[in-house]
Amino acid sequence: MSENSDKFMKRALVLARKGLGRTSPNPAVGCVIVKDGTIVGEGWHRKAGTPHAEIHALAMAGAAARGADVYVTLEPCCHTGATPPCSEALIKAGVRRVIAGMRDPNPRVNGGGMAALKQADIGTSCGLLEDACRSINIPFIKHITTGMPHVTYKCAMTLDGKIATITGESRWISCEESRKFVHRMRSRSDAIMVGVDTVIADNPQLTVRNVRGRNPLRVIVDSHLRTPESVTVLNEQLSSGTIIATIEPNPHVHLRYQNHGATILVCEEQDGRVSMEDLLRKLGKRGIQSILLEGGSRLAGYMLTHGLIDECVFFYAPKVLGSDGFSPFAFTGITDMGQAMAFTNLSVSHIGTDIVVTTHPKKSCLPD
């Protein structure tokens, strides 16, 4: 691949990112069609159930697609779903070559799209800027290969690691720019998850504000159904998008919440509370690929120590609270540094006055 090939795939990646938060359960995909070194068509997948990136790019290119090179961030599909196969459309258009960023991990494709193109005597290659192409669809990749959603834990905290004062006050630790960024994270997630203690203490809306985007599903982990019926997430505008996960089987209690429009999801029990692994599997079966975990500290601590968090985003504000206050993860049992929960792939950036640390937990749990 030439330097120009990298340039065209980078353009396809820019296009793909426009679909983030809008294409689930499909992946975000960008496509660029090049003829004689000039882009003649481009497109991206805009919403599940609508034409894929390749179809938009072919429509823009028209007759110029014949004999052209196609750069696409993900292998073209070869099966009929809500839309016809993209590999078939590329063959009919008479393109010369297809360069894919990565193979589609979906078992219904997984090499089949490239094989169909090759059989039609279209040149193919796969793996150009593969790491970048994979990075935009990590939740899709995890979900399609494991059935489990990708979980990102985010929290705002002071420089001394406190997410709230001793009285529970947390508004606002982070700066306005960080809060806007979090709303963008929400808009790109299929679901927001919080524990019932956070709902009781903060009565959050769990919606997208200050940026354009859809409201994700709201998931409340409430093992013993303590959620007050008066909370915001059970009002008429939001309740239809609210799931309450519990271990309580009582249908009469369920009905109270269902009358507000909420969905009750009865999960397996683990240590007297909702089994988070069972909950994640149930959400995965509902097509939920990405979850933004927003608290509280007991829920976050439980999920961290059970290896259920894939990524953490910490917003550090230039403030300190001293020895009083709450930590982002509430768990005990560590007696020496060798037992500490380890993280990897750490990156640091700035938003407004805050420092943002993005990192990934190693999948080890606390010793028994």
Side-chain angles (χ1 to χ4, degrees), residues 18 20-22 180 183-188 208-215:
K18 293 185 177 185
L20 288 174
R22 298 176 174 88
K180 185 174 181 178
H183 281 277
R184 188 169 292 110
M185 293 175 68
R186 287 182 175 183
S187 74
R188 293 179 173 180
V208 172
R209 303 182 298 281
N210 306 318
V211 299
R212 294 180 61 184
R214 63 174 184 174
N215 283 328

Side-chain angles (χ1 to χ4, degrees), residues 81-94:
T83 59
C86 292
S87 56
E88 184 179 303
L90 292 166
I91 292 168
K92 287 182 178 179

